[in-house]
Each structure stands twice: as C-alpha cells, then as structure tokens.
Amino acid sequence: MDKRHSRVVVAMVVYISLFLDNMLLTVIVPILPDYLVQFHATVPASVIYKNFSLHYVPKLIGAVSDGAVIVQPTSPPTDQTIEQENGSIGILLGVKALVQLVANPLVGNGTARFGYCIPITFGTVNLLLASLIFGFGTSYTSLFVARAIHGLGSACIGVCGMSLVAQLYTAEPDRRSKVMGTVLGAMAVGVLVGYPFGGIAYAMAGKAAPFHVLAVLCGANLVLQYFQLDLSPFRPIHPSGLARDSSSTNTTARRATWWPLLSNPLILMVVGGIWISTSAMAILEPCLPIWMISQLHPKKWQLGTVFIPDSIGYWVGTNFFGSVAYRFGQIRVAIVALVLVGSSCILLPSANTVAGLLLPHLSLGLGIGVVDAALVPLLATLVDAQLGGTTEDSDGQLSSEGAPGGEHGYGAVYAIQQIAVSVAYSLAPIVGGELVPVIGFATVLRALGTLNLLYVVLLACSSSLRSGGTGTALLPGSCGKQTALPLANSEPTTYRRFYNSVE
C-alpha cells in the first residue's frame, strides 16, 4: 500500500486537525477574560469570566437581562456600562458559531469541486492564521476577526474531515463506524487538553504563548497534510487507500445532491437526533454556571471544571461505542443513548451539591458521545443508499468498487449534520437564556430532557421509513427481503445490502 495515502495516516491527519480545532476553541478560556479586561477597563473581570462560554453567550442577539450579569447572588452588578459591554462580548463569542453556520453549506457544495483534502488544508491554514491573530492581536477587532476565521476553519475541517473518513471506508461500514467514532473523540481530547494547557502556558509565559504554540502545531499539521493528503482536486481516495484517477469514475462529475438528502426522512430523523442531543449541552454551557452560583455557591475553580466530566463521557462514548453501535444496531444504540441524555437532563437540576452534578454530567456527555458515534457513521451508510451506485457481486454481497456512489454526497450530508450542530449551539442558548428567567433553569432543562425522551419514539418509528421515499430499504447482510430499517445488524462483518421494495 502506498504510504502516502494510507487510510490510517489519513484518518490520523483528520484526528489531529479536529484536535487542534477544539484545542483552539478551549485554550482561550483562561486567557480571553484578561484580553477583554485590557480592552474594556470598565468591565470587572469576574463578569467577563462568568459570561464566557465556548461557543456563544445566551444574550447573543443583544437582549441582556439582570440575571446575565450575576457574579455573586448577594451583589449583582447593575451598571448600565457593564450591560452594554456584555453585548459586545456576546458578539465576539457568538461570531464563531454564526460564521460556521453560514460556511457549512458552502463547504458542503465546495466538496464537489475541490474534494475533501483541499478544504481540510484550507481549514488548517485558517486555524494557523487565527492562532497568530490571537497571539499578536491588541484590539477587540483583531479578536473578532480571529474568531470569525476560526469559524470558517472549523466548518472546513468538521464537514470534510468526517466526509474523508467516510469515503476511506466505503466498503467496510463496520470499520468505518469504529474509526469515525475514534476520530470524533478528538474533539473531546482537544477540549480536555485546551483548558489546562491554556492556563499553564498563560501563567508561565504570558497571554500570547499558548497561541504561538498552537500556531507551530498547526504549521506542523500542514506539513503532514502536504506529504500525506492528495491535494489535487477531483482525485478522491479509493477505499483501498490509493488515489484513484479521475478518469476511472464518473462520481467526480457529481455535485453535492442536497434535495434528495433533505427529502430523505431517515436522514432528517438521524440529523434531528444529533441536534436534539447536542442542544442539551448547548443550553447547559451558558446557563448552568449562573444556576450554580445562585443555588450551589461553588468555588471559582469548580465553575471552571464542572464541564470536564462531560468531555470525559463524550470521549468514552465516541471511542468505545462506534463498533458496539454497528454490532447491535446504530438506531437501537442511539435510542438508548437518547434515553440516557434525557434522563440526565431531568436529574441534573436535582443536585444539591457540586459533587452531585458529576454523575449527571458524566452520563450526559456519555449519551451525547454514543449518539454521535452511532448516528454520524450511519449518515454515510444512508448516503450510500441514497445516491446509488451500489451493485451486488456473484456472491450476493454489495460491491462498491465500480461505483462508490455518495463520495460527494458525504460532503453534503455532513454539511447538513454540522448545520444542525451549529444551530443547536446558536439557537439553544438564546432560547434557554430567554426562558430561564421566566420559568426557571430546572424547568427548562427538564423540558429539554423530556423532548429527548419523546424523540426516542420518533427515532424508533424511523425503522419503518423508506430511504428517501423511493422504496429503498437498508437491510442486514444476509436477511431476506424486508421493507423496514432493522434496529440491529445480524452480520456486523459484512456490508449491508440495499434492495428496491416493490410494495
């Protein structure tokens, strides 16, 4: 096998890219408040620390309530200047998610022309540029530009990274499920490493040092991509790991087929499951610290570490449940995981101490990780069915050698998936921030948990849906003719077949 296009090495490149993306996202947590205090001397550091979140703040659209500036329950600052500054902070922190939301469909369309490798490299260049601007920036405008550039890079890496891994393992869905789960775990590792690395490097060498280190790592990743990725357009990597000549297949002439994917109820159900589970974390990040301050009176270090169990649970879920989901059924495992997410949301407000939050947080992260490990690879399988090009050989097994349909459909479907995630991280905190002062944090979170449990019913009903309304059903390897999507795969070592139903 040509080492230049080894599947393991390419998957490792995607892993590193996602890791650096999420490390840049979290490394600024202990650093950005001091930057903002430097730029806005009228804003107390405690207010900025409390209002910072990884992706957004709940008052993203400018409506700031009294609860949004609570630092201590007994003495909330009410100065109008602080409220005005909270608006600018919200714009700064929300621009990354908004840019990523807009860029996702553009990147999905771009994969039809540029493939997956070039956007990944372009996204890494954006991470490098954002790191340098963060490191050398001396104004609010520079930080705003850096966050926007980071959002564009995240869209490129998130959409094309998973699409590339899906393409590498087209003929091995069982291994694809495992590898994609492992690659998804890079996000949790980046989050876990970013917090302490940012704090330690900041304390030892100053505010710019962590970003300079990240810039060096991004540069090293670019060198690795240059030697390991095929950066010429219209040359998708064949499942065998070798680059295939563009003249050997007509899939290079395809464009991302959005409408068939968006009209496929199965794909919408799967993306909806990812969205509803992600919304739980999206609401928690900005709203939980305020609730903890008013109800549990935590220490400052406890506010900074309360989300670590979520990241650990997510890492466990993505790394160890990809193969489990394929063996026992991706829909079935996702249903169990959604039950876990919903139950965790319902139980979390019942905690009376900070320690009481650990188990619900761990189970919430685990549930979200298992949902992603089960449903993200399933999207690639559904695209293989949707865009056709699958044939059966003389032994009755699916063959994708001649026409691995869906190579560019992967870009479209993972753009849809990333849009759902971006909407969750943009919309959920806004809705939660408006509802919490009205009906309370516990009611909002329990209502979201109930929605996750209700979505389980919809996901279970999706087992009877045809793919795309065309009568195509996804079946286990050696089962007889069926019309429903089974909850479990009876032959995890063979590729699932697709049949055209005449009923």
Side-chain angles (χ1 to χ4, degrees):
M1 179 181 296
D2 186 356
K3 291 184 178 180
R4 178 179 172 84
H5 299 110
S6 168
R7 292 188 299 180
V8 175
V9 175
V10 172
M12 182 183 69
V13 170
V14 176
Y15 187 98
I16 295 173
S17 301
L18 286 171
F19 167 78
L20 293 175
D21 177 25
N22 285 270
M23 189 174 176
L24 179 60
L25 182 69
T26 56
V27 76
I28 62 176
V29 173
I31 302 172
L32 185 58
D34 281 353
Y35 268 110
L36 296 178
V37 169
Q38 176 184 347
F39 303 152
H40 305 278
T42 58
V43 184
S46 55
V47 174
I48 296 178
Y49 268 100
K50 188 207 68 53
N51 280 281
F52 177 79
S53 72
L54 299 183
H55 307 273
Y56 41 69
V57 290
K59 304 302 174 183
L60 189 62
I61 57 177
V64 181
S65 65
D66 293 338
V69 293
I70 292 178
V71 179
Q72 294 296 335
T74 56
S75 57
T78 58
D79 186 83
Q80 183 65 26
T81 303
I82 295 177
E83 294 189 354
Q84 293 174 353
E85 295 295 347
N86 276 336
S88 63
I89 295 170
I91 294 174
L92 174 64
L93 299 177
V95 66
K96 191 260 184 186
L98 294 178
V99 170
Q100 188 170 352
L101 177 62
V102 173
N104 282 327
L106 301 178
V107 174
N109 280 328
T111 59
R113 180 173 183 179
F114 300 105
Y116 304 135
C117 296
I118 291 179
I120 291 175
T121 301
F122 177 74
T124 306
V125 170
N126 279 268
L127 296 187
L128 172 61
L129 185 58
S131 299
L132 292 175
I133 296 177
F134 272 126
F136 293 103
T138 57
S139 67
Y140 178 90
T141 302
S142 63
L143 299 186
F144 181 91
V145 172
R147 289 284 290 182
I149 293 175
H150 184 196
L152 178 59
S154 295
C156 294
I157 294 173
V159 172
C160 296
M162 301 312 298
S163 300
L164 181 59
V165 175
Q167 177 181 300
L168 290 173
Y169 296 91
T170 300
E172 301 173 77
D174 53 336
R175 191 173 181 186
R176 176 165 64 185
S177 183
K178 178 180 180 179
V179 173
M180 293 186 76
T182 302
V183 171
L184 284 169
M187 295 187 290
V189 177
V191 169
L192 288 173
V193 173
Y195 285 120
F197 172 75
I200 294 173
Y202 168 45
M204 295 180 61
K207 292 181 289 188
F211 300 111
H212 294 163
V213 174
L214 269 173
V216 172
L217 294 176
C218 290
N221 188 29
L222 285 173
V223 174
L224 181 63
Q225 291 176 13
Y226 176 79
F227 287 104
Q228 299 299 335
L229 297 183
D230 183 4
L231 299 180
S232 59
F234 304 117
R235 293 188 64 190
I237 296 178
H238 192 269
S240 65
L242 301 176
R244 183 171 61 246
D245 191 342
S246 60
S247 62
S248 65
T249 176
N250 60 3
T251 58
T252 56
R254 295 191 180 198
R255 293 294 181 265
T257 315
W258 287 83
W259 177 244
L261 298 179
L262 290 173
S263 61
N264 186 333
L266 276 175
I267 291 178
L268 295 181
M269 285 289 185
V270 170
V271 172
I274 296 172
W275 170 76
I276 194 70
S277 63
T278 304
S279 295
M281 184 58 63
I283 282 184
L284 272 182
E285 283 188 3
C287 297
L288 181 65
I290 301 174
W291 177 80
M292 289 177 62
I293 290 172
S294 62
Q295 300 294 325
L296 306 182
H297 311 293
K299 298 178 181 178
K300 184 176 180 180
W301 69 268
Q302 291 175 322
L303 281 175
T305 59
V306 68
F307 289 104
I308 290 180
D310 301 89
S311 298
I312 295 175
Y314 186 87
W315 181 83
V316 172
T318 53
N319 275 269
F320 298 102
F321 284 85
S323 297
V324 173
Y326 184 82
R327 180 175 296 274
F328 293 99
Q330 291 158 314
I331 294 292
R332 175 178 291 172
V333 171
I335 287 174
V336 175
L338 280 176
V339 171
L340 183 61
V341 172
S343 302
S344 300
C345 290
I346 293 173
L347 294 176
L348 193 146
S350 301
N352 297 319
T353 63
V354 176
L357 294 172
L358 296 180
L359 185 58
H361 267 271
L362 181 66
S363 59
L364 177 64
L366 177 63
I368 296 173
V370 173
V371 168
D372 285 354
L375 297 186
V376 171
L378 180 59
L379 287 173
T381 304
L382 293 175
V383 167
D384 290 335
Q386 180 72 42
L387 298 187
T390 54
T391 58
E392 292 184 19
D393 57 23
S394 57
D395 297 327
Q397 301 299 323
L398 183 73
S399 173
S400 61
E401 293 295 321
E407 286 180 343
H408 295 313
Y410 295 149
V413 79
Y414 285 117
I416 296 171
Q417 179 250 336
Q418 286 293 316
I419 289 172
V421 173
S422 297
V423 168
Y425 277 118
S426 300
L427 182 62
I430 295 175
V431 175
E434 296 298 330
L435 291 180
V436 166
V438 178
I439 62 178
F441 171 79
T443 303
V444 170
L445 200 58
R446 285 168 179 156
L448 183 59
T450 303
L451 289 177
N452 274 269
L453 296 178
L454 292 176
Y455 200 86
V456 166
V457 179
L458 295 178
L459 200 59
C461 291
S462 70
S463 62
S464 61
L465 294 175
R466 270 73 167 185
S467 177
T470 60
T472 304
L474 178 62
L475 303 177
S478 61
C479 291
K481 188 173 183 178
Q482 303 177 18
T483 59
L485 172 65
L487 299 181
N489 182 22
S490 61
E491 289 191 21
T493 59
T494 61
Y495 199 92
R496 298 177 180 182
R497 284 190 258 169
F498 303 94
Y499 295 86
N500 290 322
S501 172
V502 295
E503 301 177 8

